[in-house]
Amino acid sequence: MKKLFFALTMAAFTLNAPAQYISPFFTSMPEDIADYLNAANRKDLIDLYKAGKTAKVENLLKGQSELKELADDQLTLQMNESSLFQMKLLPLNDTAKVIAVIRTACAPACDSKISFFTSNWKSLKVSDIMPNIALADFIVADKKSPETLELLDIPFFSYAFAKDKSELIVTLDVKNFLGKEDFKKIEPLIKPAITLRWNKGTFVKE
């Protein structure tokens, strides 16, 4: 943790004040992180959104991508009909930020992958920042049963940043994975979501 804090603090000194807003990070994001949106696409999305227009562009796969939400420290992008991209700046101290990126794919159950970066886009080890998320986190303690684990042998975890908070909501996407009858059986046995709180450079379970 001390090494992580030091690395992020040093990276922050290379930035000027405006770069602490999310828009410059989004437009300067490396191509391999941006999937099928190039720098021009991303700039157009920001400009359209700030102008109060529908922020939608044709992406490099000839589909439509739309910027749905934009705040100082967070944005949500509908990449296509079945995938969502979220990005958030997480404070480490008064100057240093951690960039968090969530990619979610739904088919129809939603499954997310999260990545973390320094402010100059150096990759950070997820296990240094995130606790391990497991099915056991969602099982109601006094209703634990083998049937629950059997039905959810392949759990789908969907991530989303909370608005106006440094929190991460992790949802167990059961409804879109199981049939209606199985979902009715299992619904009383599980928590639909858990919250992770950002605390001095790491997410912790509440």
Side-chain angles (χ1 to χ4, degrees):
M1 180 59 203
K2 288 182 179 179
K3 290 182 179 179
L4 174 64
F5 183 90
F6 179 77
L8 293 170
T9 302
M10 290 301 100
F13 290 131
T14 67
L15 301 174
N16 52 29
Q20 296 304 299
Y21 295 100
I22 201 162
S23 298
F25 287 109
F26 181 60
T27 54
S28 67
M29 185 167 51
E31 298 290 334
D32 60 336
I33 299 172
D35 292 323
Y36 38 90
L37 288 173
N38 60 28
N41 291 149
R42 284 174 266 139
K43 186 178 185 303
D44 287 344
L45 286 169
I46 295 293
D47 291 343
L48 287 167
Y49 191 97
K50 289 183 175 180
K53 300 178 181 179
T54 300
K56 186 180 289 187
V57 299
E58 183 180 82
N59 57 50
L60 300 180
L61 297 181
K62 304 303 180 182
Q64 295 290 311
S65 296
E66 183 177 359
L67 183 60
K68 308 290 283 188
E69 296 177 343
L70 176 64
D72 287 347
D73 65 346
Q74 183 173 327
L75 63 80
T76 300
L77 179 68
Q78 189 75 48
M79 294 296 291
N80 56 37
E81 292 182 357
S82 60
S83 64
L84 197 70
F85 177 98
Q86 281 192 304
M87 184 173 164
K88 190 175 182 71
L89 298 182
L90 297 164
L92 191 63
N93 57 30
D94 291 340
T95 54
K97 306 287 184 182
V98 175
I99 305 171
V101 171
I102 297 173
R103 298 180 184 84
T104 301
C106 303
C110 295
D111 191 49
S112 296
K113 303 297 181 186
I114 191 165
S115 306
F116 298 97
F117 305 89
T118 66
S119 53
N120 54 2
W121 289 106
K122 290 184 178 179
S123 182
L124 298 169
K125 194 174 180 180
V126 174
S127 60
D128 287 340
I129 298 175
M130 279 275 292
N132 183 51
I133 303 298
L135 178 59
D137 295 316
F138 295 86
I139 306 301
V140 179
D142 60 351
K143 295 182 179 180
K144 197 169 185 178
S145 71
E147 181 185 11
T148 308
L149 300 176
E150 184 178 336
L151 287 172
L152 295 175
D153 57 339
I154 307 176
F156 289 87
F157 301 128
S158 177
Y159 299 157
F161 297 120
K163 292 183 179 180
D164 304 319
K165 295 180 181 178
S166 295
E167 293 179 348
L168 182 66
I169 311 301
V170 184
T171 301
L172 180 64
D173 194 356
V174 178
K175 194 171 185 180
N176 288 318
F177 174 63
L178 299 176
K180 288 184 179 180
E181 292 304 314
D182 283 338
F183 178 67
K184 286 180 182 179
K185 292 177 186 177
I186 206 171
E187 187 176 13
L189 308 178
I190 61 171
K191 306 172 189 175
I194 61 172
T195 299
L196 306 183
R197 182 173 47 84
W198 183 251
N199 181 34
K200 298 179 181 179
T202 59
F203 277 113
V204 294
K205 296 177 184 177
E206 289 194 336

